[in-house]
Amino acid sequence: LRPAELLGLTATPERADGLPILGWFGERISAELRLWDAIDQQRLVPFHYYGISDGTDLSAVPWRRGFGYDTEALAGVYTANDAWARTVIAQVQAYVGNVHRMRALGFCVNVAHARFMAQQFTAAGIAAVAVTGETPDGERAEALARLRDGTVSVVFSVDLFNEGVDVPAVDTVLMLRPTESATVFLQQLGRGLRRAREKSVCTVLDFVGRHRQEFRFDVRYRALLRVSRSDLVKGIKEGFAYLPSGCSFQLDPVAQQVVLDNVRSAIPS
């Protein structure tokens, strides 16, 4: 099994060809370690999640059933000018504090978006690089090494580091693309949960826009927060009282209303 499955980050263990393997074992899991349990046992660091409204309107971005937003059109919204990138940079500076000491992974829509964000952060005086599937292995390894030693503050990627990357020093995760997949969402968050010296928490900044009706916030938040859909609505309004020790979940007022409206529309009346 992949490490994500061992941590309970996927719904059902699968073979490489996608077929469930539980049937081979009488539909029974003899032992497992879920995300919350791993945090409570101090095998992973706690997370501080912040949902931040970014002012984007994605309702006109084309949507393909089974695939989600059209990646080229979505990236076009974020890279049309530098206004959105300036918003991201300002929020990172506000929530992180000393951006020159952070070690962050930023998950982008496509290659053009990743390179654009690296250019914008570099221009703002924050050392950043973009790493994609097109990047030679040597350059990719060098980028991660520079992130570890602190000479680079942010590495932007396109689904490249969702799983299988061992950089315990990562203490900040920037979710710069919308994903409703619980697996991808938790894999990306999990890149910052590895324990490391002088690291007590992972800061997660998730940038929230106004979405098409097809987009589902409830899918990923239920996987993270372990609540029913009805309890999710209550928690978004009043707060979540039963997070793992040291964890927090916050939405700014605009993001809170956007998420609340979206979740309510996904729940049958």
Side-chain angles (χ1 to χ4, degrees), residues 45 54 85 89 137 177 195 200 216 220 246 267:
V45 300
D54 62 8
I89 292 169
D137 291 344
R177 49 157 289 184
R195 296 189 65 83
S200 59
R216 298 276 300 274
R220 59 175 179 169
I267 300 176

Side-chain angles (χ1 to χ4, degrees), residues 117-131:
M117 293 305 297
Q119 293 168 357
Q120 293 292 315
F121 268 65
T122 300
I126 304 172
V129 296
V131 176

Side-chain angles (χ1 to χ4, degrees), residues 175-218:
M175 296 188 173
L176 307 176
R177 49 157 289 184
T179 176
E180 64 177 4
S181 165
T183 299
V184 172
F185 179 75
L186 291 175
Q187 285 174 341
Q188 291 178 350
L189 183 148
R191 294 311 95 211
L193 299 184
R194 292 290 306 278
R195 296 189 65 83
R197 184 178 301 177
E198 299 182 359
K199 173 183 170 184
S200 59
V201 68
C202 173
T203 300
V204 182
L205 304 186
D206 190 4
F207 292 86
V208 177
R210 295 189 177 276
H211 289 273
R212 294 178 60 105
Q213 187 175 3
E214 296 93 334
F215 187 82
R216 298 276 300 274
F217 277 106
D218 63 306

Side-chain angles (χ1 to χ4, degrees), residues 10-245:
T10 57
T12 305
E14 294 181 339
R15 297 190 316 212
D17 58 6
L19 298 177
I21 66 172
L22 285 179
W24 300 348
F25 304 97
E27 302 296 332
R28 197 167 49 83
I29 298 176
S30 59
E32 62 182 344
L33 182 63
R34 295 284 172 172
L35 176 64
W36 280 28
D37 299 322
I39 294 174
D40 282 334
Q41 295 175 22
Q42 298 184 356
R43 299 176 186 273
L44 300 175
V45 300
F47 60 83
H48 288 178
Y49 171 93
Y50 301 97
I52 303 167
S53 172
D54 62 8
T56 57
D57 184 353
L58 305 179
S59 59
V61 177
W63 178 281
R64 291 177 59 197
R65 185 175 181 180
F67 294 91
Y69 288 111
D70 178 84
T71 56
E72 296 299 323
L74 184 62
V77 172
Y78 295 135
T79 61
N81 54 58
D82 61 1
W84 186 81
R86 288 202 308 269
T87 296
V88 171
I89 292 169
Q91 295 297 334
V92 169
Q93 292 170 330
Y95 282 94
V96 174
N98 189 343
V99 296
H100 303 293
R101 295 189 62 183
M102 72 176 178
R103 290 172 172 82
L105 288 180
F107 294 97
C108 300
V109 179
N110 63 6
V111 173
H113 184 209
R115 291 173 176 167
F116 176 80
M117 293 305 297
Q119 293 168 357
Q120 293 292 315
F121 268 65
T122 300
I126 304 172
V129 296
V131 176
T132 72
E134 302 172 2
T135 305
D137 291 344
E139 292 183 21
R140 190 181 308 173
E142 181 183 358
L144 292 178
R146 293 177 65 194
L147 185 65
R148 290 188 190 96
D149 65 28
T151 55
V152 162
S153 298
V154 196
V155 172
F156 294 98
S157 71
V158 187
D159 291 338
L160 192 61
F161 299 140
N162 284 359
E163 57 178 315
V165 171
D166 184 22
V167 188
V170 170
D171 56 20
T172 306
V173 174
L174 308 179
M175 296 188 173
L176 307 176
R177 49 157 289 184
T179 176
E180 64 177 4
S181 165
T183 299
V184 172
F185 179 75
L186 291 175
Q187 285 174 341
Q188 291 178 350
L189 183 148
R191 294 311 95 211
L193 299 184
R194 292 290 306 278
R195 296 189 65 83
R197 184 178 301 177
E198 299 182 359
K199 173 183 170 184
S200 59
V201 68
C202 173
T203 300
V204 182
L205 304 186
D206 190 4
F207 292 86
V208 177
R210 295 189 177 276
H211 289 273
R212 294 178 60 105
Q213 187 175 3
E214 296 93 334
F215 187 82
R216 298 276 300 274
F217 277 106
D218 63 306
V219 174
R220 59 175 179 169
Y221 284 155
R222 286 180 61 202
L224 173 64
L225 302 169
R226 301 200 308 187
V227 294
S228 65
R229 285 198 291 181
S230 58
D231 286 340
L232 179 60
V233 171
K234 181 179 179 181
I236 292 171
K237 293 169 61 177
E238 303 174 6
F240 297 92
Y242 301 105
L243 293 175
S245 176

